[in-house]
Amino acid sequence: MSLYPTLEDMEVSHMAASQQAAEQKLTQNAITAAGSGQPMDIASSLYPTLDEWMGMDSKALQVYQPLTSTTGAVAPVTGGHQSHAEIKQGVRQVVGCKDPGSGKIGLSVESISKGVFVSYVESGSIAAKAGLRFGDQIVQINGESVAGWNKKKTIDFLKKADPSQIRFAVRDRPFERTITCVKDSHGHIGFQFKKAKINAIVKDSSAARNGMLTDHFITEIDGQNVVGMSDDKILKVIKSKDRTVTVTVMPEFVYDHMVKHLGSSLKKHMDHSAPTEL
């Protein structure tokens, strides 16, 4: 079964399939008509609405190919450029060290439901360069399971760890999810936010069609962390994107717990670098 990053992708894929089936039938009918000498109604044989859907050319749609990703997603509209924002299942290893000057790795954590989660990654730090992200769950540090650890115990363990190498086992952002939206002709994707919290969704917009919810905080845009950014800067990031935008969101109650110990000055030093090619 194929998966699609947006509802628009699914609809276009289905319509393209119908167009191809109609054209195959048209070809077959033409062959039959040629053999019988009877005229055929070409106009009624074609799929009627595909050329008008979102102003897209049906001939262009036919060249899109399914993505070869682990999710099996098919993306005739978005083209499959959501890899930076993808929340992968499973556990990955991250290897870092302490900064020789400060003796720090550049992260902070919070404990939620007996788990340890990354709540802060400092810009330019070893943690940022190693690939740790806001919302990641740390399940092991140097082979030690951190299940049930609180913030203090985790930080104390990191302070005592060998500065030359620290190994993390990490699960990608389990409290977050991604919604890919398609911009309309005005460049809008269909939701409003204040202080990064989504508070309104536009009826019949791409955001509404693809399951965006209110009372969630925006944490990433196309994989770029925006926690701590002003609304104007978040909007600027969204506007800089092409036709499709993948928004990563976190429920309000989880977000509030994650950032409760982060002051405004600390948020400004959060890593906001654009993701690099994977």
Side-chain angles (χ1 to χ4, degrees):
M1 180 176 65
S2 296
L3 298 177
Y4 302 84
T6 71
L7 183 66
E8 290 86 350
D9 283 293
M10 185 177 73
E11 290 179 348
V12 170
S13 181
H14 289 174
M15 294 177 80
S18 297
Q19 174 77 0
Q20 290 173 344
E23 290 181 348
Q24 289 173 358
K25 183 178 180 180
L26 176 62
T27 302
Q28 184 60 44
N29 289 345
I31 294 172
T32 303
S36 64
Q38 299 293 322
M40 60 177 292
D41 183 1
I42 295 178
S44 63
S45 302
L46 292 173
Y47 195 75
T49 61
L50 185 59
D51 288 336
E52 301 172 1
W53 199 87
M54 294 179 64
M56 299 187 72
D57 182 0
S58 63
K59 294 181 177 61
L61 295 176
Q62 296 172 28
V63 304
Y64 287 105
Q65 299 295 324
L67 300 180
T68 55
S69 68
T70 56
T71 61
V74 180
V77 173
T78 60
H81 300 298
Q82 302 85 40
S83 58
H84 296 306
E86 182 181 0
I87 298 176
K88 298 179 180 178
Q89 301 302 312
V91 177
R92 60 188 170 93
Q93 180 170 266
V94 175
V95 180
C97 62
K98 294 180 182 179
D99 184 272
S102 66
K104 298 179 179 179
I105 192 169
L107 65 83
S108 187
V109 300
E110 289 291 343
S111 59
I112 303 175
S113 301
K114 302 299 183 181
V116 175
F117 296 83
V118 177
S119 62
Y120 171 78
V121 178
E122 186 175 357
S123 177
S125 66
I126 300 295
K129 294 174 182 177
L132 288 170
R133 294 162 80 162
F134 177 88
D136 280 344
Q137 181 183 5
I138 300 172
V139 295
Q140 275 191 355
I141 303 175
N142 288 344
E144 292 284 336
S145 172
V146 301
W149 288 17
N150 58 24
K151 177 177 181 175
K152 184 179 184 303
K153 184 173 182 178
T154 305
I155 297 299
D156 287 345
F157 186 86
L158 287 172
K159 287 179 178 179
K160 297 175 183 177
D162 181 358
S164 63
Q165 186 181 85
I166 303 176
R167 291 176 291 106
F168 297 90
V170 175
R171 185 175 293 278
D172 281 1
R173 310 182 296 294
F175 284 119
E176 298 174 63
R177 69 185 185 113
T178 61
I179 301 101
T180 299
C181 302
V182 181
K183 292 182 178 179
D184 63 18
S185 58
H186 301 288
H188 301 152
I189 56 179
F191 66 87
Q192 297 176 353
F193 59 92
K194 185 176 182 180
K195 295 183 179 179
K197 178 184 174 181
I198 298 169
N199 54 25
I201 298 172
V202 179
K203 184 179 179 181
D204 296 328
S205 66
S206 183
R209 288 193 296 268
N210 285 287
M212 186 71 76
L213 301 173
T214 58
D215 301 323
H216 281 62
F217 277 81
I218 304 169
T219 59
E220 292 181 351
I221 302 294
D222 280 355
Q224 179 180 353
N225 177 33
V226 297
V227 176
M229 278 190 184
S230 67
D231 287 350
D232 287 343
K233 288 184 178 179
I234 294 175
L235 188 59
K236 186 176 180 180
V237 173
I238 293 174
K239 287 182 176 180
S240 71
K241 303 302 178 182
D242 294 329
R243 185 178 184 184
T244 57
V245 182
T246 299
V247 183
T248 305
V249 296
M250 176 182 282
E252 180 180 9
F253 71 94
V254 179
Y255 182 89
D256 286 345
H257 188 89
M258 291 280 284
V259 302
K260 65 182 179 181
H261 294 130
L262 297 181
S264 57
S265 60
L266 195 58
K267 286 181 182 178
K268 291 179 181 178
H269 293 93
M270 182 87 75
D271 177 52
H272 294 139
S273 59
T276 57
E277 293 296 328
L278 299 178

mmCIF file of all heavy atoms in Angstrom, residues 223-250:
data_model
loop_
_atom_site.group_PDB
_atom_site.id
_atom_site.type_symbol
_atom_site.label_atom_id
_atom_site.label_comp_id
_atom_site.label_asym_id
_atom_site.label_seq_id
_atom_site.Cartn_x
_atom_site.Cartn_y
_atom_site.Cartn_z
ATOM 1 N N GLY A 223 12.703 20.458 8.707
ATOM 2 C CA GLY A 223 13.818 19.907 9.467
ATOM 3 C C GLY A 223 14.672 20.929 10.183
ATOM 4 O O GLY A 223 15.574 20.556 10.938
ATOM 5 N N GLN A 224 14.415 22.205 9.975
ATOM 6 C CA GLN A 224 15.176 23.262 10.657
ATOM 7 C C GLN A 224 14.503 23.615 11.972
ATOM 8 O O GLN A 224 13.332 23.992 11.996
ATOM 9 C CB GLN A 224 15.287 24.504 9.780
ATOM 10 C CG GLN A 224 16.041 25.655 10.447
ATOM 11 C CD GLN A 224 16.136 26.886 9.560
ATOM 12 O OE1 GLN A 224 15.754 26.859 8.392
ATOM 13 N NE2 GLN A 224 16.651 27.976 10.108
ATOM 14 N N ASN A 225 15.226 23.504 13.073
ATOM 15 C CA ASN A 225 14.673 23.819 14.382
ATOM 16 C C ASN A 225 14.317 25.297 14.473
ATOM 17 O O ASN A 225 15.124 26.176 14.148
ATOM 18 C CB ASN A 225 15.701 23.466 15.464
ATOM 19 C CG ASN A 225 15.222 23.825 16.855
ATOM 20 O OD1 ASN A 225 14.034 23.754 17.146
ATOM 21 N ND2 ASN A 225 16.137 24.200 17.726
ATOM 22 N N VAL A 226 13.083 25.584 14.925
ATOM 23 C CA VAL A 226 12.649 26.982 15.075
ATOM 24 C C VAL A 226 12.249 27.291 16.515
ATOM 25 O O VAL A 226 11.690 28.355 16.781
ATOM 26 C CB VAL A 226 11.477 27.303 14.114
ATOM 27 C CG1 VAL A 226 11.913 27.153 12.660
ATOM 28 C CG2 VAL A 226 10.256 26.428 14.403
ATOM 29 N N VAL A 227 12.527 26.395 17.449
ATOM 30 C CA VAL A 227 12.218 26.636 18.858
ATOM 31 C C VAL A 227 13.024 27.843 19.339
ATOM 32 O O VAL A 227 14.243 27.900 19.173
ATOM 33 C CB VAL A 227 12.540 25.408 19.722
ATOM 34 C CG1 VAL A 227 12.306 25.714 21.204
ATOM 35 C CG2 VAL A 227 11.696 24.219 19.290
ATOM 36 N N GLY A 228 12.337 28.812 19.925
ATOM 37 C CA GLY A 228 13.007 30.015 20.390
ATOM 38 C C GLY A 228 13.031 31.139 19.377
ATOM 39 O O GLY A 228 13.392 32.274 19.713
ATOM 40 N N MET A 229 12.649 30.867 18.124
ATOM 41 C CA MET A 229 12.575 31.920 17.121
ATOM 42 C C MET A 229 11.336 32.780 17.352
ATOM 43 O O MET A 229 10.313 32.305 17.855
ATOM 44 C CB MET A 229 12.482 31.321 15.710
ATOM 45 C CG MET A 229 13.783 30.908 15.094
ATOM 46 S SD MET A 229 13.499 30.499 13.334
ATOM 47 C CE MET A 229 15.136 29.943 12.870
ATOM 48 N N SER A 230 11.396 34.037 16.943
ATOM 49 C CA SER A 230 10.215 34.891 16.971
ATOM 50 C C SER A 230 9.257 34.458 15.867
ATOM 51 O O SER A 230 9.656 33.784 14.901
ATOM 52 C CB SER A 230 10.614 36.352 16.761
ATOM 53 O OG SER A 230 11.110 36.548 15.443
ATOM 54 N N ASP A 231 7.992 34.857 15.991
ATOM 55 C CA ASP A 231 7.005 34.515 14.969
ATOM 56 C C ASP A 231 7.401 35.071 13.606
ATOM 57 O O ASP A 231 7.208 34.416 12.573
ATOM 58 C CB ASP A 231 5.623 35.044 15.361
ATOM 59 C CG ASP A 231 4.994 34.241 16.491
ATOM 60 O OD1 ASP A 231 5.535 33.177 16.841
ATOM 61 O OD2 ASP A 231 3.964 34.682 17.025
ATOM 62 N N ASP A 232 7.951 36.266 13.590
ATOM 63 C CA ASP A 232 8.371 36.873 12.324
ATOM 64 C C ASP A 232 9.447 36.045 11.637
ATOM 65 O O ASP A 232 9.426 35.864 10.412
ATOM 66 C CB ASP A 232 8.883 38.295 12.556
ATOM 67 C CG ASP A 232 7.769 39.280 12.875
ATOM 68 O OD1 ASP A 232 6.598 38.945 12.591
ATOM 69 O OD2 ASP A 232 8.065 40.371 13.407
ATOM 70 N N LYS A 233 10.381 35.522 12.421
ATOM 71 C CA LYS A 233 11.454 34.708 11.841
ATOM 72 C C LYS A 233 10.924 33.358 11.356
ATOM 73 O O LYS A 233 11.356 32.852 10.313
ATOM 74 C CB LYS A 233 12.578 34.522 12.857
ATOM 75 C CG LYS A 233 13.395 35.784 13.102
ATOM 76 C CD LYS A 233 14.559 35.519 14.048
ATOM 77 C CE LYS A 233 15.405 36.783 14.234
ATOM 78 N NZ LYS A 233 16.540 36.551 15.162
ATOM 79 N N ILE A 234 9.990 32.776 12.124
ATOM 80 C CA ILE A 234 9.386 31.510 11.685
ATOM 81 C C ILE A 234 8.647 31.716 10.368
ATOM 82 O O ILE A 234 8.764 30.910 9.436
ATOM 83 C CB ILE A 234 8.427 30.957 12.758
ATOM 84 C CG1 ILE A 234 9.201 30.565 14.021
ATOM 85 C CG2 ILE A 234 7.654 29.742 12.215
ATOM 86 C CD1 ILE A 234 8.321 30.130 15.181
ATOM 87 N N LEU A 235 7.896 32.807 10.280
ATOM 88 C CA LEU A 235 7.158 33.108 9.055
ATOM 89 C C LEU A 235 8.109 33.327 7.884
ATOM 90 O O LEU A 235 7.830 32.902 6.752
ATOM 91 C CB LEU A 235 6.287 34.351 9.268
ATOM 92 C CG LEU A 235 5.300 34.694 8.151
ATOM 93 C CD1 LEU A 235 4.334 33.548 7.909
ATOM 94 C CD2 LEU A 235 4.532 35.965 8.505
ATOM 95 N N LYS A 236 9.237 33.963 8.151
ATOM 96 C CA LYS A 236 10.230 34.194 7.105
ATOM 97 C C LYS A 236 10.791 32.865 6.597
ATOM 98 O O LYS A 236 10.999 32.692 5.381
ATOM 99 C CB LYS A 236 11.368 35.069 7.643
ATOM 100 C CG LYS A 236 12.386 35.483 6.597
ATOM 101 C CD LYS A 236 13.431 36.421 7.186
ATOM 102 C CE LYS A 236 14.452 36.831 6.135
ATOM 103 N NZ LYS A 236 15.479 37.748 6.692
ATOM 104 N N VAL A 237 11.014 31.914 7.504
ATOM 105 C CA VAL A 237 11.500 30.596 7.101
ATOM 106 C C VAL A 237 10.455 29.901 6.221
ATOM 107 O O VAL A 237 10.788 29.315 5.184
ATOM 108 C CB VAL A 237 11.812 29.723 8.335
ATOM 109 C CG1 VAL A 237 12.148 28.289 7.916
ATOM 110 C CG2 VAL A 237 12.974 30.311 9.123
ATOM 111 N N ILE A 238 9.183 29.968 6.626
ATOM 112 C CA ILE A 238 8.117 29.343 5.843
ATOM 113 C C ILE A 238 8.041 29.958 4.448
ATOM 114 O O ILE A 238 7.938 29.255 3.437
ATOM 115 C CB ILE A 238 6.757 29.478 6.565
ATOM 116 C CG1 ILE A 238 6.761 28.651 7.854
ATOM 117 C CG2 ILE A 238 5.616 29.020 5.657
ATOM 118 C CD1 ILE A 238 5.524 28.833 8.718
ATOM 119 N N LYS A 239 8.106 31.282 4.374
ATOM 120 C CA LYS A 239 8.005 31.977 3.086
ATOM 121 C C LYS A 239 9.182 31.656 2.178
ATOM 122 O O LYS A 239 9.066 31.722 0.943
ATOM 123 C CB LYS A 239 7.915 33.487 3.307
ATOM 124 C CG LYS A 239 6.570 33.949 3.862
ATOM 125 C CD LYS A 239 6.530 35.468 4.014
ATOM 126 C CE LYS A 239 5.159 35.937 4.465
ATOM 127 N NZ LYS A 239 5.102 37.417 4.624
ATOM 128 N N SER A 240 10.330 31.307 2.763
ATOM 129 C CA SER A 240 11.520 31.026 1.956
ATOM 130 C C SER A 240 11.453 29.664 1.271
ATOM 131 O O SER A 240 12.257 29.380 0.381
ATOM 132 C CB SER A 240 12.778 31.092 2.831
ATOM 133 O OG SER A 240 12.840 29.983 3.721
ATOM 134 N N LYS A 241 10.513 28.842 1.690
ATOM 135 C CA LYS A 241 10.413 27.489 1.146
ATOM 136 C C LYS A 241 9.673 27.494 -0.187
ATOM 137 O O LYS A 241 8.938 28.412 -0.511
ATOM 138 C CB LYS A 241 9.715 26.554 2.139
ATOM 139 C CG LYS A 241 10.389 26.497 3.497
ATOM 140 C CD LYS A 241 11.841 26.054 3.391
ATOM 141 C CE LYS A 241 12.533 26.050 4.753
ATOM 142 N NZ LYS A 241 13.960 25.671 4.648
ATOM 143 N N ASP A 242 9.860 26.416 -0.935
ATOM 144 C CA ASP A 242 9.190 26.278 -2.213
ATOM 145 C C ASP A 242 7.717 25.948 -2.012
ATOM 146 O O ASP A 242 7.151 26.240 -0.966
ATOM 147 C CB ASP A 242 9.887 25.208 -3.060
ATOM 148 C CG ASP A 242 11.304 25.640 -3.453
ATOM 149 O OD1 ASP A 242 11.512 26.851 -3.612
ATOM 150 O OD2 ASP A 242 12.176 24.764 -3.589
ATOM 151 N N ARG A 243 7.135 25.295 -2.952
ATOM 152 C CA ARG A 243 5.689 25.077 -2.943
ATOM 153 C C ARG A 243 5.214 24.237 -1.761
ATOM 154 O O ARG A 243 4.120 24.431 -1.236
ATOM 155 C CB ARG A 243 5.274 24.395 -4.247
ATOM 156 C CG ARG A 243 3.781 24.234 -4.365
ATOM 157 C CD ARG A 243 3.399 23.610 -5.679
ATOM 158 N NE ARG A 243 1.950 23.562 -5.800
ATOM 159 C CZ ARG A 243 1.321 23.005 -6.809
ATOM 160 N NH1 ARG A 243 2.005 22.462 -7.782
ATOM 161 N NH2 ARG A 243 0.007 22.988 -6.841
ATOM 162 N N THR A 244 6.021 23.298 -1.320
ATOM 163 C CA THR A 244 5.628 22.445 -0.202
ATOM 164 C C THR A 244 6.474 22.734 1.029
ATOM 165 O O THR A 244 7.661 23.046 0.919
ATOM 166 C CB THR A 244 5.758 20.947 -0.562
ATOM 167 O OG1 THR A 244 7.109 20.668 -0.961
ATOM 168 C CG2 THR A 244 4.822 20.576 -1.699
ATOM 169 N N VAL A 245 5.843 22.619 2.183
ATOM 170 C CA VAL A 245 6.509 22.900 3.459
ATOM 171 C C VAL A 245 6.144 21.782 4.437
ATOM 172 O O VAL A 245 4.963 21.478 4.621
ATOM 173 C CB VAL A 245 6.054 24.254 4.050
ATOM 174 C CG1 VAL A 245 6.805 24.538 5.348
ATOM 175 C CG2 VAL A 245 6.262 25.378 3.060
ATOM 176 N N THR A 246 7.158 21.195 5.064
ATOM 177 C CA THR A 246 6.912 20.173 6.080
ATOM 178 C C THR A 246 7.095 20.796 7.461
ATOM 179 O O THR A 246 8.175 21.278 7.794
ATOM 180 C CB THR A 246 7.857 18.967 5.910
ATOM 181 O OG1 THR A 246 7.625 18.376 4.632
ATOM 182 C CG2 THR A 246 7.598 17.926 6.989
ATOM 183 N N VAL A 247 6.020 20.793 8.238
ATOM 184 C CA VAL A 247 5.999 21.410 9.558
ATOM 185 C C VAL A 247 6.021 20.307 10.618
ATOM 186 O O VAL A 247 5.206 19.384 10.583
ATOM 187 C CB VAL A 247 4.734 22.275 9.737
ATOM 188 C CG1 VAL A 247 4.759 22.979 11.093
ATOM 189 C CG2 VAL A 247 4.614 23.293 8.605
ATOM 190 N N THR A 248 6.961 20.402 11.539
ATOM 191 C CA THR A 248 7.022 19.467 12.656
ATOM 192 C C THR A 248 6.389 20.131 13.869
ATOM 193 O O THR A 248 6.714 21.279 14.192
ATOM 194 C CB THR A 248 8.474 19.082 12.984
ATOM 195 O OG1 THR A 248 9.109 18.574 11.799
ATOM 196 C CG2 THR A 248 8.522 18.001 14.064
ATOM 197 N N VAL A 249 5.478 19.418 14.524
ATOM 198 C CA VAL A 249 4.738 20.002 15.645
ATOM 199 C C VAL A 249 4.805 19.085 16.863
ATOM 200 O O VAL A 249 5.019 17.874 16.748
ATOM 201 C CB VAL A 249 3.265 20.264 15.270
ATOM 202 C CG1 VAL A 249 3.174 21.304 14.171
ATOM 203 C CG2 VAL A 249 2.557 18.984 14.856
ATOM 204 N N MET A 250 4.602 19.697 18.037
ATOM 205 C CA MET A 250 4.616 18.974 19.311
ATOM 206 C C MET A 250 3.406 19.429 20.123
ATOM 207 O O MET A 250 3.109 20.634 20.170
ATOM 208 C CB MET A 250 5.913 19.274 20.074
ATOM 209 C CG MET A 250 5.995 18.655 21.473
ATOM 210 S SD MET A 250 7.545 19.092 22.340
ATOM 211 C CE MET A 250 8.687 17.959 21.530
#
